Amino acid sequence: MCTLRGYMSETMRRDLGEIAAAGGAPAGGGTAGQAGGVIIEREREVLTFTLDNTEHGNEVTGSMFDAMLAELRAEALRPSARVLRIRARGKVFCTGRERAGRDVVSVRNESARLIELKKMLRASPLICVAEVQGDAFGFGFGLAIVCDFVLVAEQAKLGFPEMKNGLAPAAIMAYLGEYALPRFAFPLVLFGDAIEARRALEIGLISQVCAADRLASEVDALVGRICGLDAVATRKCKEFFQTAQQNTFEQNCRLATDALTVGSLAVMEREKKKKI
C-alpha cells in the first residue's frame, strides 16, 4: 500500500517537469540482440522479448532472466519504448523456469530473480502484452498473467502444475487473487490441472482468445492502438491503475486530485503548443 502524500508529491514533482514534453513519441530505428535463449528487439516504440529456448520447451534459464532484467532496468533509466511484447518461438509459449540451484543461497537467488522480473513488469511504465501462441505452464503462465494484456491462441493449454511435484506455487499465489476469484484460483494451484484458453478467459486470467493464425495480427493491432495514445498519459494511466489496486477508496480519491491536476496541466500545455 502506498503512502499518500509521499508517493504523489514525488510523482507530481517529476510529472510537472515532463509536461512541456507531453505527447512526444520517441523516435528511432530498430535494434536486435540475442542472449542465451531470448531475442531482444527494439523497433521504434516497441520492445520485444522472444523466448527462443525451444529445445527445452522455452524454459526460462538464468541467462534469459538476466538479459530481460537488464533490458528492463535500462529502459527504466532511459525510457525509449512504450510497449513490451513478450512472445515465443516454437510450439509452446513457456513450460516453466530452470531450477539450477542446489543449496539455500542459490535457490533463494533464483526465487528472488523470478519475483524481481514479475515486479518489474508490473511497475514498468511500458504496457506489457503477452502473445501466447502455445502451452504455458508454471512460471510461463504466471509471466503471461502479470502482463497488462494476455492474448492466447485457442488451442493452448494453461496451468500451474507445481503441486504435482510437491511444490506450492507461491510466486503466482502472490497475485493470482487479483485476477481470478478465490473459488476459481485456488483449485488451479492446488490440483495443478491444465485448463483451456477459453476457461482462462471466463475466470479473468487472460484478455482474449484468438485463432492461432490470427494471434500475431491481433497483437499487432493492439500494439498499434496503444502506440496511438498519448505517450505520457498512457504511462500515467498504468501507474495510477497499479497504485489504485493496492489502496483504499479514500486514499485513491486523494491521489486522484494530484493526478488530475498534473494531467489537466499537460493537456493545457499541449493545446497551447497547437495554437503556436
Side-chain angles (χ1 to χ4, degrees):
M1 186 176 294
C2 77
T3 57
L4 293 177
R5 294 301 171 189
Y7 167 84
M8 191 51 85
S9 61
E10 178 182 351
T11 304
M12 280 193 70
R13 286 194 295 270
R14 183 191 67 205
D15 293 349
L16 290 170
E18 295 177 351
I19 287 176
T31 60
Q34 184 162 1
V38 59
I39 301 168
I40 296 175
E41 301 170 291
R42 287 177 178 269
E43 184 62 34
R44 297 183 67 82
E45 298 174 311
V46 182
L47 172 64
T48 302
F49 293 166
T50 304
L51 306 181
D52 189 23
N53 186 18
T54 56
E55 292 184 3
H56 298 93
N58 283 326
E59 182 181 80
V60 179
T61 65
S63 61
M64 294 166 70
F65 272 114
D66 291 340
M68 291 187 286
L69 283 167
E71 198 70 25
L72 290 173
R73 292 186 188 111
E75 181 66 30
L77 290 174
R78 300 189 64 179
S80 63
R82 297 177 58 184
V83 176
L84 171 62
R85 184 173 184 168
I86 302 179
R87 59 188 181 184
R89 288 184 170 176
K91 295 182 179 180
V92 303
F93 176 72
C94 177
T95 56
R97 64 179 177 91
E98 178 185 56
R99 299 176 187 273
R102 292 295 180 267
D103 55 47
V104 173
V105 173
S106 59
V107 170
R108 184 173 182 81
N109 286 341
E110 284 183 351
S111 300
R113 183 171 56 193
L114 78 89
I115 295 296
E116 183 182 3
L117 178 62
K118 291 184 176 183
K119 287 174 64 177
M120 290 195 73
L121 290 175
R122 285 271 295 238
S124 172
L126 297 169
I127 302 299
C128 303
V129 180
E131 179 181 335
V132 183
Q133 91 291 2
D135 296 349
F137 297 123
F139 172 79
F141 190 19
L143 175 66
I145 289 173
V146 82
C147 291
D148 301 300
F149 294 91
V150 190
L151 282 71
V152 181
E154 58 188 352
Q155 83 285 355
K157 299 292 190 301
L158 312 165
F160 305 105
E162 288 90 338
M163 281 292 287
K164 293 182 183 297
N165 295 316
L167 176 67
I172 183 62
M173 288 192 285
Y175 57 89
L176 187 62
E178 296 183 23
Y179 299 91
L181 294 173
R183 296 298 185 196
F184 296 130
F186 187 58
L188 284 179
V189 295
L190 181 65
F191 298 119
D193 297 331
I195 60 174
E196 304 283 342
R198 294 203 177 278
R199 179 56 177 165
L201 179 65
E202 289 173 357
I203 63 177
L205 294 181
I206 67 174
S207 309
Q208 185 176 337
V209 177
C210 307
D213 60 354
R214 291 285 303 162
L215 177 62
S217 61
E218 292 286 349
V219 175
D220 288 340
L222 174 60
V223 170
R225 288 191 68 188
I226 296 168
C227 291
L229 299 171
D230 177 80
V232 174
T234 300
R235 178 169 65 79
K236 298 306 171 195
C237 186
K238 176 173 178 177
E239 180 181 30
F240 193 92
F241 186 85
Q242 294 291 353
T243 301
Q245 299 300 301
Q246 311 302 320
N247 288 340
T248 66
F249 175 71
E250 288 299 325
Q251 288 173 318
N252 286 333
C253 287
R254 296 172 192 172
L255 293 175
T257 300
D258 288 340
L260 287 171
T261 300
V262 171
S264 298
L265 289 171
V267 170
M268 288 189 288
E269 182 66 22
R270 288 197 298 275
E271 291 175 347
K272 184 167 63 176
K273 286 184 177 181
K274 290 179 182 178
K275 295 178 181 179
I276 297 177

